[in-house]
Amino acid sequence: MRNILHVDMNAFYASCEQAKNKNLKGKPVLVAGDPCKRHGIVLTASYEARKFGIKTGMPNWQAKALCPDAVFLKPDFDCYTQFSINMINILKEFSPLVEQFSIDEAWVDITGCEKLFGNPLEIADKIQKKIKNNLDLPCSIGISENKLVAKMASELKKPMGITYLPLSDIKDVLWPLDVHELIWIGSARERKLKSLGIYTIGNLANTPLSFLIELFGKCGRDIYYFANGIDLSPVRPYATDAKSFGNTITLPDDYTDTEDIKRALLCLSEMVGNRMRKHNFMGKTINLIVKDSNFKTITRSCSINYTVLTEDIFETSLRLFMENYPSGFKIRMLGVSISNLVKIDKEAQICFFQDLRYEKLKKLNTVVDKIREKYGFDIISRGLTLTGEIIKKTSPLSSMKNFDPRVHSYFKI
């Protein structure tokens, strides 16, 4: 029998802000857009703010009406990324099998680690206390025999809860819950299921498999298994079977300024490149994902020579943006990913004319990765992410065809 933990950080962005600024402790903190802009939304609300009924996705004006004393802060993604890295490093002290699911949650397979650290409840308690003591961040932990049920369990007690949910108890604990509480049941599927009289997870678990497959195709099989607590997937510490690496940022309000968008694309490219190099992959196809002010998703892709370079990812994603989105286009979410992956030095053929440039920039990227791993992600930054002034003075941004970020890359330590 496996013992799987799901560690879920509580009100992560707001908790990070409270951890780095002790004066915010106990105050209603909202990580959001500019509170003076009515169209900004709340990205994360601290638990002090949630007592007023404030929720993620709520417009700023509505949140301010509910809690006039709320502290509005713009998101600091570099800070949150560093806290996330530190959290994962703590988890790795208890097991080598750690799979990060998002910036604020991860699974840990502690099977076989009990003789070192105690039973699953004791291990969960040690992890929770160490994250709190070392990072000053709260988290909730779910424990079960598979990843799915462990994740569901971590949702049951927040904040700072620990829940052990064996598979034998899912009928009593999970089946009475609303069907939308099941992982990967979105609003469209929820409406479809409820229109057919399927209101709870238990209703879904007892629906014939063949009917769900007819209703949702291959996804119907997964939904049926999930409702019945069946999940055989392992905790994957390494992306050996990865199809792509990607990161997204939901912006605090509608962005139209090209300089702000470029800085966001560079931050995303940094994170994607770092993860790809860490797992020893190269990629060929750069994908740009954009959601507009109406949350309509538009994607564009472009294939280049195989690369591990942040510069190549940024240059291509920036070109895709400039070629496909008019000036003043309102952006709410940006995403960058790289796909068509191969293991480095095994299957990819590097363009002969790029060998010298490639090797020099690969060494530079590797050095930056090592500095960040040792001292923190935000210890070293490119000039473009700090201010647009350096780039404006050194490159003809009015003509993006002439802009080469491989030439105009500046670092500050």
Side-chain angles (χ1 to χ4, degrees), residues 52-65:
F52 294 87
I54 299 173
K55 299 179 180 179
T56 298
M58 179 177 287
N60 286 348
W61 65 266
Q62 188 176 354
K64 192 167 183 63

Side-chain angles (χ1 to χ4, degrees), residues 13-289:
Y13 293 173
S15 295
C16 289
E17 297 290 350
Q18 291 174 321
K20 72 177 183 177
N21 182 355
K22 307 304 181 184
N23 292 329
L24 296 176
K25 290 285 187 179
K27 295 182 179 180
V29 174
L30 302 179
V31 177
D34 189 338
C36 296
K37 297 181 179 179
R38 293 176 60 84
H39 56 278
I41 62 170
V42 174
L43 298 180
T44 304
S46 68
Y47 281 91
E48 294 85 356
R50 295 182 189 190
K51 295 176 181 179
F52 294 87
I54 299 173
K55 299 179 180 179
T56 298
M58 179 177 287
N60 286 348
W61 65 266
Q62 188 176 354
K64 192 167 183 63
L66 290 172
C67 183
D69 295 328
V71 179
F72 283 80
L73 299 172
K74 290 185 178 181
D76 182 353
F77 291 107
D78 282 348
C79 167
Y80 310 149
T81 299
Q82 185 57 51
F83 271 111
S84 177
I85 292 171
N86 294 339
M87 178 267 290
I88 294 297
N89 287 337
I90 288 175
L91 300 183
K92 289 179 179 178
E93 295 178 15
F94 292 86
S95 171
L97 300 179
V98 177
E99 179 182 347
Q100 187 165 10
F101 185 61
S102 68
I103 192 172
D104 63 346
E105 56 183 315
W107 285 289
V108 189
D109 189 338
I110 57 169
T111 307
C113 300
E114 294 83 357
K115 291 184 179 180
L116 293 173
F117 303 110
N119 64 47
L121 281 169
E122 291 172 334
I123 295 176
D125 182 65
K126 290 176 181 178
I127 288 174
Q128 187 183 69
K129 288 178 178 176
K130 186 153 192 176
I131 291 175
K132 183 62 177 175
N133 292 337
N134 289 21
L135 306 181
D136 197 16
L137 295 177
C139 70
S140 294
I141 301 178
I143 311 167
S144 192
E145 294 142 68
N146 63 45
K147 291 162 62 177
L148 168 78
V149 180
K151 180 170 172 58
M152 296 288 290
S154 69
E155 295 287 335
L156 298 177
K157 295 178 184 177
K158 288 188 173 182
M160 289 293 285
I162 295 177
T163 303
Y164 173 58
L165 182 57
L167 297 183
S168 57
D169 288 353
I170 64 170
K171 291 183 180 180
D172 295 327
V173 178
L174 298 185
W175 280 17
L177 300 178
D178 192 289
V179 70
H180 81 266
E181 299 286 348
L182 184 64
I183 301 171
W184 297 296
I185 295 293
S187 57
R189 286 178 180 166
E190 178 190 358
R191 289 192 298 269
K192 185 67 173 178
L193 290 170
K194 289 184 176 180
S195 71
L196 297 170
I198 302 172
Y199 297 101
T200 68
I201 295 177
N203 294 154
L204 184 59
N206 288 289
T207 301
L209 173 60
S210 58
F211 178 78
L212 292 175
I213 293 175
E214 183 179 349
L215 194 63
F216 296 116
K218 292 182 180 179
C219 292
R221 185 183 302 276
D222 294 333
I223 292 171
Y224 176 83
Y225 286 153
F226 293 157
N228 282 280
I230 300 171
D231 178 16
L232 302 179
S233 64
V235 174
R236 295 183 175 92
Y238 307 108
T240 53
D241 57 351
K243 299 295 187 295
S244 67
F245 293 93
N247 285 84
T248 61
I249 291 178
T250 300
L251 303 170
D253 48 48
D254 295 337
Y255 274 38
T256 58
D257 184 80
T258 303
E259 294 298 315
D260 287 337
I261 292 167
K262 279 188 282 189
R263 280 188 278 275
L265 287 175
L266 181 52
C267 288
L268 290 167
S269 299
E270 292 268 31
M271 290 186 282
V272 172
N274 178 273
R275 292 171 57 207
M276 183 171 57
R277 292 187 293 270
K278 181 178 180 180
H279 295 292
N280 205 39
F281 275 92
M282 303 179 72
K284 183 177 178 64
T285 302
I286 310 300
N287 310 287
L288 175 68
I289 307 97

Side-chain angles (χ1 to χ4, degrees), residues 295-314:
F295 289 91
K296 179 182 178 181
T297 302
I298 306 169
T299 61
R300 295 290 185 270
S301 300
C302 179
S303 291
I304 58 176
N305 292 314
Y306 280 105
T307 187
V308 298
L309 303 180
T310 293
E311 290 82 356
D312 288 340
I313 300 170
F314 171 57

